[in-house]
Amino acid sequence: MSNFLQSALLQSRLPLVCFKRFRGKINIQRPRPPHYERARVLDVVKPIYKKPDFNAPCVEAGRTKAAQEVENPYERIIAREVRNWLDHSKMVAFIHLNSIKQEDFFKVQVALHRHQMSVKIYGKSIIRQAVEGTKFEAIQPLFDVKTALIFCPDESKIRQLLAVLKKTPQFVLMAGIIQGQFLSKKEFMGFASLPDLTTARAQLAAVLESAGAKIVSDLECHQNQLVNVLESYVRHENEKSGASQESSKAPEGTEG
């Protein structure tokens, strides 16, 4: 009996489920609109976002940055060092630093060190603390990108600096400071063609001496001309008197 119930009445059959798409392929670009009831539900649960202001991200970023700015004692020390370099260096070059290997950068440092030049790289915040309220404040826009500084205590070594930069295409000269005067790239390179201070002084002394000598020669010109004319007149008179004496002596000699 139990076998009959198990085989005939208690036996369960699993239904066969087969999934099939409705009306062929689904159009992804232009899908069918949902059913009315479903569309109502979707419209109710649709999220509503507040439209941000036009410059809200910029304002918020500025507030966040201002809130995060904390005075760093180490940066203040480095800023004093930068200020000291700027005050005591007679020549400063601003270099745009492109991608360069550390090995090549070290070779450039060695080449510049042979001419008593130092290469320094500082961040924008350090430069801002160093030059804020000074005569060097105009250099801040140069540090929006990665910029290196080359300091030299002698401005006469500008030719050596340009020679090293010419061999290093990763170092691009942007501007410079010579004896406290801010110069553009063209003016900085033009300064290299000028002679040194000793030669310039010698040339100036020669020009002043030549001008004085010319004034003296112009003042003495008429006197010299008068002296020359008188000398030539006296010479001519002497020759004329000598010739007359010889002609007067010649007949006496023939009569004797």
Side-chain angles (χ1 to χ4, degrees), residues 12 16 62 75 80 89 109 144 156 166 218 228:
S12 62
L16 180 61
E75 287 188 357
R80 286 201 300 266
S89 297
Q109 283 182 312
D144 291 338
S156 62
K166 187 176 181 181
D218 291 340
N228 294 331

Side-chain angles (χ1 to χ4, degrees), residues 73-114:
Y74 179 71
E75 287 188 357
R76 189 167 61 251
I77 295 173
I78 301 299
R80 286 201 300 266
E81 178 185 350
V82 177
R83 178 67 180 277
N84 184 56
W85 278 107
L86 292 173
D87 290 337
H88 295 85
S89 297
K90 294 185 178 180
M91 181 177 67
V92 182
F94 300 92
I95 307 298
H96 174 65
L97 191 60
N98 291 321
S99 179
I100 184 173
K101 296 181 180 178
Q102 186 63 31
E103 181 180 358
D104 297 336
F105 184 79
F106 179 73
K107 292 180 180 179
V108 176
Q109 283 182 312
V110 173
L112 293 174
H113 183 72
R114 292 174 181 173

Side-chain angles (χ1 to χ4, degrees), residues 58 159 193:
C58 299
R159 294 186 180 88
S193 60

Side-chain angles (χ1 to χ4, degrees), residues 9-211:
L9 300 179
L10 300 179
Q11 186 176 4
S12 62
R13 297 182 180 180
L14 297 176
L16 180 61
V17 181
C18 182
F19 297 95
K20 184 179 180 181
R21 286 183 177 179
F22 179 72
R23 292 186 179 179
K25 297 181 179 179
I26 299 175
N27 192 346
I28 301 176
Q29 297 181 352
R30 300 179 60 184
R32 292 178 57 188
H35 189 265
Y36 175 72
E37 295 295 336
R38 183 177 181 182
R40 290 177 60 187
V41 174
L42 292 176
D43 188 64
V44 170
V45 300
K46 185 178 179 180
I48 300 176
Y49 299 100
K50 180 182 177 181
K51 186 177 180 181
D53 298 334
F54 177 73
N55 57 349
C58 299
V59 174
E60 188 65 24
R63 292 175 180 174
T64 305
K65 184 177 180 181
Q68 291 178 354
E69 285 184 355
V70 180
E71 186 177 0
N72 192 333
Y74 179 71
E75 287 188 357
R76 189 167 61 251
I77 295 173
I78 301 299
R80 286 201 300 266
E81 178 185 350
V82 177
R83 178 67 180 277
N84 184 56
W85 278 107
L86 292 173
D87 290 337
H88 295 85
S89 297
K90 294 185 178 180
M91 181 177 67
V92 182
F94 300 92
I95 307 298
H96 174 65
L97 191 60
N98 291 321
S99 179
I100 184 173
K101 296 181 180 178
Q102 186 63 31
E103 181 180 358
D104 297 336
F105 184 79
F106 179 73
K107 292 180 180 179
V108 176
Q109 283 182 312
V110 173
L112 293 174
H113 183 72
R114 292 174 181 173
H115 303 292
Q116 300 178 354
M117 302 182 192
S118 303
V119 184
K120 303 291 183 180
I121 300 176
Y122 300 104
K124 185 177 180 180
S125 60
I126 296 177
I127 296 297
R128 178 179 56 79
Q129 296 181 34
V131 303
E132 192 172 9
T134 65
K135 61 180 181 179
F136 304 108
E137 195 169 4
I139 69 175
Q140 294 190 49
L142 297 176
F143 291 85
D144 291 338
V145 294
K146 191 173 183 180
T147 303
L149 293 170
I150 298 179
F151 300 99
C152 182
D154 188 4
E155 70 277 5
S156 62
K157 298 183 180 295
I158 185 172
R159 294 186 180 88
Q160 291 82 344
L161 172 62
L162 295 178
V164 174
L165 296 180
K166 187 176 181 181
K167 298 178 183 178
T168 312
Q170 295 88 347
F171 280 46
V172 181
L173 178 64
M174 296 189 296
I177 298 176
I178 295 181
Q179 294 183 352
Q181 184 68 31
F182 188 77
L183 303 177
S184 63
K185 178 182 178 180
K186 185 177 180 180
E187 294 172 343
F188 191 84
M189 298 181 69
F191 185 85
S193 60
L194 299 177
D196 57 355
L197 186 58
T198 304
T199 306
R201 287 175 177 173
Q203 292 177 355
L204 178 61
V207 171
L208 296 176
E209 185 178 357
S210 64

Side-chain angles (χ1 to χ4, degrees), residues 237-254:
E237 290 296 330
N238 291 335
E239 291 177 356
K240 185 177 180 181
S241 62
S244 62
Q245 291 177 2
E246 289 179 359
S247 62
S248 61
K249 291 180 180 179
E252 293 178 0
T254 55

Side-chain angles (χ1 to χ4, degrees), residues 1-11:
M1 188 66 181
S2 62
N3 293 335
F4 175 75
L5 293 175
Q6 184 177 3
S7 59
L9 300 179
L10 300 179
Q11 186 176 4

